[in-house]
Amino acid sequence: MESLSPEGAPGHSHQEEASVCWRLTVRVLEARGLHWADLFSEADLYVMLQLPTAPGMKFKTKTVTNSSHPVWNETFSFLIQSQVKNILELTIYDEDLIKKDDICFKVFYDVSEVLPGKLLRKTFLLSPQGGEELDVEFLVEKLSDPPENLITNNILVARELSCLDVSLNRVGSAAMASGEDEEELELELVLKGSYEDTQASVLGTASAFIFHYPKAQDTELNGTLKRSRSNGWNLDTSAGHLTVPLRSLATGKKVTMDFPATNAPGVRLQLRADCCPKELAVRLGCGPCPQEEAFLSRRKQVVAKALKRALQLDRDLQEDEVPVVGIMAEGGGARAMISLYGHLVALQKLGLLDCVTYFSGISGSTWTMAHLYGDPEWSQRDLQGPISHARKHLAKSLLRAFSPECLASYWQTLKQRAEQGHSTSVADLWGLVLESKLHGQVMEQKLSEQRATLERGQNPLPLYLSLNVKENSLDTLHFKEWVEFSPYEVGFLKYGGFIPPELFGSEFFMGRLMKQLPESQICFLEGIWSNIFSVNLTDTWYELTSGETWKQYIEGRKQNSEKQPPASWGTSSCVEASWLQPGTALAQALKGILTGRPLHQRSANFLHGLQLHRDYRVQKDFSTWAEGQVDSNPSQLTPQAPQLCLVDAAYFINSSCPSMFRPGRRVDLILSFNYSQSSPFEALQQAEQYCRGQGLPFPHVELSPEDQCQPKECHLFSDPACPEAPVLLHFPLVNASFRDYSAPGVQRSLAELKAGQVNLTGATSPYILCNMTYTEEDFDSLWQLSDYNVRNSQDTILQALRTVLQHRAPEAKSSRVHV
């Protein structure tokens, strides 16, 4: 992969750099005024030290009993990499012999504050009221080791990996007769902080192990020989223990050692540490991948011809003059699916579908997209075929998808999926139910196969969006991250980490592919894109308040962010916020009930093991949701998690806007299709708040009281004072002039008036979100209404295209002159 200099285009690729490691020494001195007591005595306190960027290293002080002023005076050390964000976690526990130890306080400390070679004594205030303090000393010293080679996009950092091969060179007697059962020896190897962590095998059944771990890791391999019965009973006796410091192993050289075991002679291990290939399977870069950039060039040729016809231009457009148009489709279940068909039909009739470059959607909109992109020529064909297919299957009862035959088929498919190594969940079952409902069978289509629809630039690039949330510790309000799926790659907009769709679901560590699994069928991705099963009780409360909490929260955060600039986010140290604090066992249980996601979707985290760059928070492309509280602590962020928890993006914000504003995608005109029954502008206004919070150019959504009361078929929003902001055409789901006109300019006859009475918002409306069964009449009324609304706005669309074409023209001329 081509390296990028700091002066290069931001976010498009990675940098490679060499950086030395340092030795961090931490001395835990004492604490004062800790009035944490159990029922019968004062607290029995100890401190746990952990540095997530030094995986596998976790230290514990001695326990000081019955004291509010414990003195420890214990010293510990970590190897740290200066180019990553090193946040030390100091947790004070109250030891309890009966139940789980309680957490009294937890402190996060950014060790970049410690100057090399200078001893720093730090006093942490453990409570806002004061009086409770912890004293710690820090020292950072440079090591003489060779520098470590890093790969980074200034948000994520991939560090060097080593492979440790462990083989049994010679084994003596592996079993001894003992009564009726044979006694066996099991070898267990543990390398904390490695991808594998723990591996075990009965001697004689396996002869080799491999571990992948950060090369600069200051940890050790621990081996234990355990005695067990062949009937499966563990005797809980150890025949021997071995500890090997990894830094004592020379790269590329074999080391042979006898295992120090009693009553088990002849066990010999051979170890060899080697460097792993530095090439990454994860692409680090926030901008488009090379395949997308090549597609963009091909697509512009198609768009240029379509614009020349639609706008009746008297000359051909040069590539740099061609404006980029994107579709932004909201969610809304089957209602969104049907309406989107109508919008696409209208664009095709107007000759404008070929003017679109990007096509993004969430939730129910993705059902339409996934079906259409099964045909490489879909936008060039009559869409009545896909519409008839959808009408036929939506007319069937959803209960048919739960017939005994279907359930047996689902079970067999999920069983095969599990055998392939994939995790299975309710979201996977939902994906199969959707396939059965929408298509009558499970389709074999895969996301990577949709590249065939883009080979000649013949269709817009499809972009499917989901949200990654916390599995069981936070609600969606406080933590959510955009994940984008396209035929070229799947990845996080926030971190700039992407993989090919063929590898989604496979296992990664530090950017390298560890275990490749077969690519998932697209039905399982549809189960993710419209996954409504990973909600928790706190999320449900927000939903029941009809979004009012969301609005109040965003407004509060917006005001706070205006008062506090980003530079003041992270003080050098902080005590964990009360809503993050685990606290007592009772508090942990309550928190688990409120934030747990019992039906969460499981996908292997392809960012697992990657670390955060020391300057990640000040990077323009590191996109957060304004609150920033979780984002200020790397240990709370996704690279630390082994699995992803992906939900329907429409559950929290019903917009696919982030795909339109990715670095490198300069979209000039957005066609925003709304599928809400009652809030035609809410998602658009939320999208504006989100984008403005990121510093992204977004037209201001200003509405007159009349428009709020009675939306029109099309609303145009632009910002002449901000040329970088796209022009936006918003199409609410409304029944306005369609009541009186069967086609633009064609008034309905008396016999046709009934067809114009489409009930979109009433209590008896057939288009409610949970409805998955439509009569053919209701189906046709909805897509024809959407078709009409776009065609009735033809003049507005053409004028918007002329406007963005004029915006492009001066820039294109300047660019050609410069060249």
Side-chain angles (χ1 to χ4, degrees):
M1 186 179 295
E2 182 182 357
S3 297
L4 179 69
S5 65
E7 293 79 23
H12 279 64
S13 189
H14 65 243
Q15 306 172 45
E16 298 181 20
E17 57 184 81
S19 178
V20 297
C21 289
W22 302 71
R23 172 73 63 184
L24 169 68
T25 302
V26 183
R27 181 168 182 161
V28 182
L29 299 174
E30 61 179 318
R32 294 178 297 278
L34 302 187
H35 303 294
W36 184 281
D38 55 28
L39 186 61
F40 302 106
S41 66
E42 291 191 78
D44 304 326
L45 301 170
Y46 65 89
V47 180
M48 190 74 73
L49 298 86
Q50 185 173 9
L51 190 63
T53 48
M57 304 301 291
K58 196 171 186 178
F59 299 108
K60 176 182 177 295
T61 68
K62 64 187 177 186
T63 300
V64 178
T65 59
N66 297 326
S67 176
S68 61
H69 186 170
V71 177
W72 293 286
N73 280 330
E74 294 186 58
T75 302
F76 310 93
S77 69
F78 300 89
L79 274 184
I80 63 172
Q81 169 54 246
S82 60
Q83 292 301 307
V84 303
K85 194 71 168 176
N86 296 295
I87 305 293
L88 179 67
E89 300 177 7
L90 299 160
T91 309
I92 302 178
Y93 284 88
D94 177 17
E95 187 173 79
D96 197 307
L97 298 178
I98 300 176
K99 58 183 181 66
K100 187 176 180 180
D101 296 350
D102 288 332
I103 295 177
C104 303
F105 302 98
K106 191 165 188 175
V107 175
F108 298 97
Y109 180 62
D110 186 347
V111 301
S112 63
E113 183 179 287
V114 185
L115 298 178
K118 294 187 178 181
L119 186 68
L120 173 66
R121 180 171 177 140
K122 184 83 176 177
T123 297
F124 297 99
L125 300 178
L126 301 179
S127 66
Q129 294 78 18
E132 297 172 309
E133 299 175 338
L134 173 66
D135 291 342
V136 185
E137 285 183 351
F138 300 93
L139 179 64
V140 169
E141 299 170 290
K142 187 175 181 179
L143 297 179
S144 59
D145 295 355
E148 184 180 5
N149 293 315
L150 308 177
I151 301 176
T152 179
N153 62 356
N154 293 326
I155 298 174
L156 294 174
V157 176
R159 301 178 64 177
E160 284 190 79
L161 277 190
S162 288
C163 300
L164 178 65
D165 287 297
V166 184
S167 58
L168 293 175
N169 181 265
R170 182 168 60 84
V171 181
S173 176
M176 296 176 287
S178 177
E180 297 181 0
D181 299 314
E182 285 191 337
E183 187 178 287
E184 296 178 332
L185 288 176
E186 181 184 68
L187 174 62
E188 180 182 82
L189 296 176
V190 179
L191 204 172
K192 290 297 182 183
S194 68
Y195 163 72
E196 293 80 6
D197 190 84
T198 302
Q199 299 184 69
S201 177
V202 174
L203 293 188
T205 62
S207 60
F209 306 86
I210 187 169
F211 292 89
H212 298 83
Y213 62 97
K215 183 178 179 180
Q217 184 169 317
D218 190 13
T219 187
E220 54 196 21
L221 175 72
N222 289 287
T224 305
L225 278 176
K226 296 181 178 180
R227 301 184 186 279
S228 62
R229 296 289 188 188
S230 58
N231 61 10
W233 288 95
N234 195 332
L235 297 178
D236 288 328
T237 59
S238 173
H241 186 81
L242 175 71
T243 298
V244 182
L246 294 182
R247 291 175 64 81
S248 67
L249 301 178
T251 302
K253 293 185 178 181
K254 292 183 180 180
V255 176
T256 302
M257 58 184 64
D258 291 324
F259 202 102
T262 56
N263 300 323
V267 179
R268 180 170 293 176
L269 297 182
Q270 189 176 82
L271 296 85
R272 178 187 172 106
D274 280 310
C275 294
C276 288
K278 71 174 184 178
E279 290 77 16
L280 303 184
V282 176
R283 183 180 74 86
L284 298 185
C286 296
C289 61
Q291 297 93 325
E292 180 179 331
E293 291 179 335
F295 158 80
L296 187 60
S297 181
R298 297 192 298 269
R299 184 61 180 174
K300 282 192 172 184
Q301 298 176 30
V302 176
V303 173
K305 294 177 182 177
L307 284 173
K308 183 180 181 181
R309 290 192 301 267
L311 301 180
Q312 299 180 355
L313 303 178
D314 56 4
R315 67 176 182 87
D316 294 334
L317 295 173
Q318 301 297 314
E319 184 173 311
D320 53 359
E321 294 179 294
V322 178
V324 176
V325 180
I327 288 176
M328 196 167 75
E330 294 182 8
R335 180 180 66 241
M337 171 187 167
I338 299 167
S339 301
L340 181 53
Y341 275 122
H343 285 140
L344 296 175
V345 166
L347 292 175
Q348 191 180 60
K349 290 177 181 177
L350 297 176
L352 299 178
L353 190 52
D354 280 345
C355 297
V356 177
T357 297
Y358 292 111
F359 184 1
S360 68
I362 58 173
S363 195
S365 295
T366 65
W367 305 347
T368 296
M369 296 168 64
H371 183 210
L372 290 176
Y373 280 88
D375 178 3
E377 309 296 330
W378 74 265
S379 65
Q380 312 304 314
R381 302 189 196 279
D382 186 350
L383 293 181
Q384 288 302 321
I387 289 175
S388 297
H389 176 90
R391 181 197 298 114
K392 171 186 172 183
H393 290 287
L394 277 182
K396 297 183 296 186
S397 170
L398 180 61
L399 294 177
R400 296 181 60 175
F402 293 95
S403 67
E405 296 81 6
C406 288
L407 292 175
S409 174
Y410 305 155
W411 170 253
Q412 187 62 32
T413 302
L414 292 175
K415 181 180 177 182
Q416 293 173 355
R417 180 169 172 79
E419 290 171 351
Q420 292 174 344
H422 289 282
S423 298
T424 57
S425 66
V426 174
D428 297 310
L429 176 61
W430 169 239
L432 293 172
V433 171
L434 274 179
E435 285 282 281
S436 179
K437 170 62 181 174
L438 301 178
H439 305 296
Q441 60 179 333
V442 176
M443 313 293 283
E444 294 299 322
Q445 181 189 170
K446 296 180 175 65
L447 182 57
S448 64
E449 295 170 354
Q450 293 186 5
R451 291 179 194 143
T453 68
L454 309 171
E455 287 177 346
R456 305 185 314 280
Q458 68 268 39
N459 299 296
L461 176 63
L463 305 168
Y464 310 87
L465 274 177
S466 179
L467 279 182
N468 178 54
V469 298
K470 288 287 187 182
E471 177 183 327
N472 54 16
S473 59
L474 293 174
D475 54 75
T476 309
L477 187 67
H478 289 99
F479 185 89
K480 57 274 175 191
E481 300 172 330
W482 294 105
V483 180
E484 181 183 272
F485 294 74
S486 86
Y488 294 130
E489 56 182 8
V490 177
F492 282 83
L493 308 187
K494 175 177 181 175
Y495 303 105
F498 296 86
I499 57 171
E502 295 95 327
L503 300 181
F504 179 72
S506 296
E507 296 181 16
F508 290 76
F509 183 67
M510 197 64 78
R512 282 81 169 182
L513 178 64
M514 295 285 112
K515 181 181 179 182
Q516 185 169 355
L517 304 182
E519 182 180 359
S520 296
Q521 297 159 238
I522 206 165
C523 65
F524 295 115
L525 300 184
E526 288 181 287
I528 290 174
W529 301 331
S530 55
N531 173 22
I532 58 174
F533 302 100
S534 292
V535 299
N536 54 36
L537 290 181
T538 310
D539 293 335
T540 304
W541 168 251
Y542 294 144
E543 184 69 17
L544 292 175
T545 59
S546 303
E548 288 304 315
T549 304
W550 195 99
K551 295 173 188 174
Q552 295 168 9
Y553 175 78
I554 292 297
E555 286 302 318
R557 288 294 179 184
K558 185 178 178 183
Q559 293 170 7
N560 289 338
S561 64
E562 289 171 354
K563 295 176 183 177
Q564 295 182 339
S568 66
W569 277 2
T571 54
S572 61
S573 63
C574 65
V575 178
E576 191 169 45
S578 58
W579 56 274
L580 285 172
Q581 183 73 278
T584 65
L586 178 61
Q588 292 181 36
L590 179 59
K591 180 180 178 183
I593 293 172
L594 294 175
T595 63
R597 303 178 189 269
L599 302 178
H600 72 276
Q601 185 274 342
R602 302 174 183 87
S603 298
N605 179 15
F606 51 88
L607 299 186
H608 183 49
L610 292 168
Q611 297 181 356
L612 276 297
H613 191 274
R614 64 180 182 182
D615 297 324
Y616 76 95
R617 285 188 296 165
V618 299
Q619 300 303 315
K620 180 181 178 182
D621 296 329
F622 180 71
S623 54
T624 69
W625 287 73
E627 63 267 23
Q629 189 164 9
V630 180
D631 292 312
S632 65
N633 189 349
S635 66
Q636 293 282 335
L637 297 181
T638 297
Q640 286 289 316
Q643 289 188 326
L644 306 177
C645 183
L646 301 176
V647 302
D648 187 338
Y651 164 72
F652 193 74
I653 174 172
N654 195 17
S655 173
S656 56
C657 72
S659 284
M660 297 292 105
F661 292 90
R662 268 190 65 184
R665 285 181 192 157
R666 192 201 146 176
V667 178
D668 301 280
L669 173 63
I670 295 176
L671 304 180
S672 170
F673 295 138
N674 161 260
Y675 303 125
S676 170
Q677 280 186 292
S678 57
S679 306
F681 301 102
E682 181 179 55
L684 189 63
Q685 291 168 331
Q686 291 176 349
E688 180 190 1
Q689 289 176 333
Y690 167 79
C691 288
R692 291 189 181 277
Q694 307 303 317
L696 300 172
F698 197 95
H700 187 45
V701 180
E702 287 189 279
L703 297 163
S704 67
E706 294 77 17
D707 288 341
Q708 289 274 22
C709 240
Q710 181 56 59
K712 302 188 290 286
E713 288 95 348
C714 178
H715 296 259
L716 187 149
F717 303 102
S718 63
D719 189 351
C722 180
E724 296 81 14
V727 174
L728 191 146
L729 295 179
H730 187 63
F731 297 84
L733 186 61
V734 296
N735 186 7
S737 59
F738 183 71
R739 292 189 180 94
D740 303 315
Y741 293 86
S742 59
V746 180
Q747 195 159 3
R748 294 185 183 276
S749 64
L750 289 176
E752 295 172 326
L753 286 179
K754 184 180 178 182
Q757 304 305 308
V758 184
N759 181 9
L760 292 174
T761 59
T764 59
S765 171
Y767 305 115
I768 57 175
L769 182 63
C770 60
N771 184 27
M772 288 291 292
T773 303
Y774 282 73
T775 66
E776 292 191 355
E777 181 182 4
D778 290 334
F779 183 103
D780 288 338
S781 295
L782 186 56
W783 81 259
Q784 288 168 6
L785 168 67
S786 298
D787 170 28
Y788 169 88
N789 285 351
V790 169
R791 288 192 292 127
N792 194 52
S793 307
Q794 179 180 10
D795 292 342
T796 304
I797 300 173
L798 292 177
Q799 183 55 49
L801 285 170
R802 292 188 185 96
T803 299
V804 296
L805 184 59
Q806 291 171 359
H807 288 171
R808 278 277 182 169
E811 296 178 13
K813 183 177 180 181
S814 173
S815 174
R816 289 197 294 274
V817 170
H818 177 71
V819 172

